[in-house]
Amino acid sequence: MKIKRCPRLVIPAVTAILLPAITGRLSDTAAAGPSAETARRCQHYSYIAYPYQRPGSVRMSGDRQAYFKDCMAKEGKVPEPTPAKS
């Protein structure tokens, strides 16, 4: 005894199952990033914490960039840093 499948019913059923799963995941990945104001604040704070010094006068360690990335990850919700001593 052979069971016949009706392709007209299979395709809509698969689409009805998979489409919400795919679109649900796409909407999560398209979340908005931090605002320009947050980026400006983080950039400003990173230069307060690690002020600019002429290249070659001190070893560049990437601390300013690490601070900026951490601030952006926290969406700018970090305390205002105190100025570094010269």
Side-chain angles (χ1 to χ4, degrees), residues 48-78:
I48 290 174
Y50 301 100
Y52 176 79
Q53 295 180 352
R54 191 182 59 154
S57 64
V58 293
R59 191 171 138 223
M60 301 304 283
S61 63
D63 292 334
R64 186 184 309 131
Q65 184 178 8
Y67 183 91
F68 178 78
K69 285 183 178 182
D70 182 52
C71 181
M72 290 298 286
K74 295 177 182 177
E75 296 179 2
K77 296 176 183 162
V78 295

Side-chain angles (χ1 to χ4, degrees), residues 4 8 13 21-22 24 31 34-38 43 52 59 62 73 77 80 82 85:
K4 264 185 154 180
R8 291 181 187 172
I22 293 170
S35 68
E37 181 61 34
T38 301
Q43 185 73 22
Y52 176 79
R59 191 171 138 223
K77 296 176 183 162
E80 187 170 351
T82 56
K85 293 180 182 179

